[in-house]
mmCIF file of all heavy atoms in Angstrom:
data_model
loop_
_atom_site.group_PDB
_atom_site.id
_atom_site.type_symbol
_atom_site.label_atom_id
_atom_site.label_comp_id
_atom_site.label_asym_id
_atom_site.label_seq_id
_atom_site.Cartn_x
_atom_site.Cartn_y
_atom_site.Cartn_z
ATOM 1 N N PHE A 39 -10.617 1.741 36.912
ATOM 2 C CA PHE A 39 -11.574 1.751 35.813
ATOM 3 C C PHE A 39 -12.519 0.557 35.895
ATOM 4 O O PHE A 39 -13.729 0.698 35.749
ATOM 5 C CB PHE A 39 -10.823 1.760 34.478
ATOM 6 C CG PHE A 39 -11.725 1.728 33.277
ATOM 7 C CD1 PHE A 39 -12.493 2.833 32.955
ATOM 8 C CD2 PHE A 39 -11.804 0.602 32.480
ATOM 9 C CE1 PHE A 39 -13.337 2.819 31.855
ATOM 10 C CE2 PHE A 39 -12.632 0.563 31.385
ATOM 11 C CZ PHE A 39 -13.409 1.678 31.057
ATOM 12 N N TYR A 40 -11.967 -0.619 36.144
ATOM 13 C CA TYR A 40 -12.801 -1.817 36.292
ATOM 14 C C TYR A 40 -13.750 -1.682 37.479
ATOM 15 O O TYR A 40 -14.902 -2.102 37.416
ATOM 16 C CB TYR A 40 -11.943 -3.062 36.455
ATOM 17 C CG TYR A 40 -11.262 -3.542 35.205
ATOM 18 C CD1 TYR A 40 -10.194 -4.418 35.268
ATOM 19 C CD2 TYR A 40 -11.676 -3.127 33.956
ATOM 20 C CE1 TYR A 40 -9.564 -4.876 34.137
ATOM 21 C CE2 TYR A 40 -11.046 -3.570 32.800
ATOM 22 C CZ TYR A 40 -9.998 -4.440 32.904
ATOM 23 O OH TYR A 40 -9.366 -4.887 31.771
ATOM 24 N N ALA A 41 -13.266 -1.117 38.564
ATOM 25 C CA ALA A 41 -14.103 -0.950 39.751
ATOM 26 C C ALA A 41 -15.277 -0.013 39.455
ATOM 27 O O ALA A 41 -16.411 -0.274 39.872
ATOM 28 C CB ALA A 41 -13.276 -0.420 40.913
ATOM 29 N N ILE A 42 -15.024 1.068 38.727
ATOM 30 C CA ILE A 42 -16.100 1.999 38.359
ATOM 31 C C ILE A 42 -17.118 1.298 37.473
ATOM 32 O O ILE A 42 -18.325 1.383 37.702
ATOM 33 C CB ILE A 42 -15.525 3.251 37.664
ATOM 34 C CG1 ILE A 42 -14.761 4.111 38.657
ATOM 35 C CG2 ILE A 42 -16.646 4.068 37.029
ATOM 36 C CD1 ILE A 42 -13.971 5.223 38.026
ATOM 37 N N LEU A 43 -16.642 0.596 36.451
ATOM 38 C CA LEU A 43 -17.560 -0.107 35.549
ATOM 39 C C LEU A 43 -18.420 -1.125 36.289
ATOM 40 O O LEU A 43 -19.633 -1.188 36.095
ATOM 41 C CB LEU A 43 -16.774 -0.813 34.446
ATOM 42 C CG LEU A 43 -16.313 0.030 33.277
ATOM 43 C CD1 LEU A 43 -15.565 -0.848 32.281
ATOM 44 C CD2 LEU A 43 -17.469 0.712 32.602
ATOM 45 N N LEU A 44 -17.796 -1.933 37.122
ATOM 46 C CA LEU A 44 -18.548 -2.959 37.820
ATOM 47 C C LEU A 44 -19.563 -2.372 38.795
ATOM 48 O O LEU A 44 -20.678 -2.879 38.918
ATOM 49 C CB LEU A 44 -17.592 -3.904 38.556
ATOM 50 C CG LEU A 44 -16.806 -4.848 37.666
ATOM 51 C CD1 LEU A 44 -15.737 -5.578 38.485
ATOM 52 C CD2 LEU A 44 -17.725 -5.839 36.993
ATOM 53 N N ASN A 45 -19.193 -1.289 39.472
ATOM 54 C CA ASN A 45 -20.112 -0.692 40.439
ATOM 55 C C ASN A 45 -21.268 0.030 39.771
ATOM 56 O O ASN A 45 -22.370 0.077 40.320
ATOM 57 C CB ASN A 45 -19.369 0.259 41.376
ATOM 58 C CG ASN A 45 -18.678 -0.490 42.475
ATOM 59 O OD1 ASN A 45 -19.324 -1.119 43.291
ATOM 60 N ND2 ASN A 45 -17.358 -0.453 42.477
ATOM 61 N N VAL A 46 -21.062 0.574 38.598
ATOM 62 C CA VAL A 46 -22.143 1.273 37.906
ATOM 63 C C VAL A 46 -23.058 0.285 37.196
ATOM 64 O O VAL A 46 -24.284 0.417 37.239
ATOM 65 C CB VAL A 46 -21.571 2.313 36.912
ATOM 66 C CG1 VAL A 46 -22.645 2.859 36.009
ATOM 67 C CG2 VAL A 46 -20.903 3.447 37.676
ATOM 68 N N ILE A 47 -22.479 -0.737 36.564
ATOM 69 C CA ILE A 47 -23.284 -1.678 35.790
ATOM 70 C C ILE A 47 -24.001 -2.678 36.699
ATOM 71 O O ILE A 47 -25.202 -2.908 36.551
ATOM 72 C CB ILE A 47 -22.405 -2.408 34.756
ATOM 73 C CG1 ILE A 47 -21.924 -1.399 33.718
ATOM 74 C CG2 ILE A 47 -23.163 -3.535 34.090
ATOM 75 C CD1 ILE A 47 -20.895 -1.934 32.760
ATOM 76 N N PHE A 48 -23.267 -3.297 37.620
ATOM 77 C CA PHE A 48 -23.844 -4.323 38.488
ATOM 78 C C PHE A 48 -23.095 -4.277 39.817
ATOM 79 O O PHE A 48 -22.023 -4.861 39.961
ATOM 80 C CB PHE A 48 -23.729 -5.693 37.816
ATOM 81 C CG PHE A 48 -24.380 -6.808 38.573
ATOM 82 C CD1 PHE A 48 -25.744 -6.817 38.780
ATOM 83 C CD2 PHE A 48 -23.629 -7.852 39.074
ATOM 84 C CE1 PHE A 48 -26.349 -7.845 39.479
ATOM 85 C CE2 PHE A 48 -24.222 -8.894 39.766
ATOM 86 C CZ PHE A 48 -25.584 -8.883 39.972
ATOM 87 N N ALA A 49 -23.661 -3.580 40.788
ATOM 88 C CA ALA A 49 -22.969 -3.278 42.041
ATOM 89 C C ALA A 49 -22.432 -4.501 42.788
ATOM 90 O O ALA A 49 -21.299 -4.456 43.263
ATOM 91 C CB ALA A 49 -23.858 -2.445 42.943
ATOM 92 N N PRO A 50 -23.175 -5.593 42.941
ATOM 93 C CA PRO A 50 -22.591 -6.719 43.678
ATOM 94 C C PRO A 50 -21.291 -7.254 43.067
ATOM 95 O O PRO A 50 -20.420 -7.724 43.796
ATOM 96 C CB PRO A 50 -23.693 -7.784 43.649
ATOM 97 C CG PRO A 50 -24.948 -6.984 43.560
ATOM 98 C CD PRO A 50 -24.590 -5.813 42.674
ATOM 99 N N ALA A 51 -21.135 -7.149 41.758
ATOM 100 C CA ALA A 51 -19.872 -7.564 41.133
ATOM 101 C C ALA A 51 -18.736 -6.641 41.584
ATOM 102 O O ALA A 51 -17.610 -7.089 41.785
ATOM 103 C CB ALA A 51 -20.002 -7.546 39.622
ATOM 104 N N GLY A 52 -19.021 -5.365 41.765
ATOM 105 C CA GLY A 52 -18.025 -4.428 42.269
ATOM 106 C C GLY A 52 -17.616 -4.743 43.695
ATOM 107 O O GLY A 52 -16.459 -4.591 44.073
ATOM 108 N N TRP A 53 -18.550 -5.203 44.502
ATOM 109 C CA TRP A 53 -18.249 -5.583 45.879
ATOM 110 C C TRP A 53 -17.373 -6.827 45.909
ATOM 111 O O TRP A 53 -16.438 -6.918 46.705
ATOM 112 C CB TRP A 53 -19.527 -5.822 46.675
ATOM 113 C CG TRP A 53 -20.481 -4.672 46.661
ATOM 114 C CD1 TRP A 53 -20.194 -3.355 46.432
ATOM 115 C CD2 TRP A 53 -21.893 -4.738 46.854
ATOM 116 N NE1 TRP A 53 -21.344 -2.610 46.472
ATOM 117 C CE2 TRP A 53 -22.394 -3.431 46.738
ATOM 118 C CE3 TRP A 53 -22.774 -5.774 47.107
ATOM 119 C CZ2 TRP A 53 -23.734 -3.125 46.869
ATOM 120 C CZ3 TRP A 53 -24.117 -5.477 47.248
ATOM 121 C CH2 TRP A 53 -24.586 -4.168 47.138
#
Side-chain angles (χ1 to χ4, degrees):
F39 178 70
Y40 286 162
I42 290 170
L43 280 181
L44 288 171
N45 279 296
V46 169
I47 293 172
F48 184 64
W53 305 337

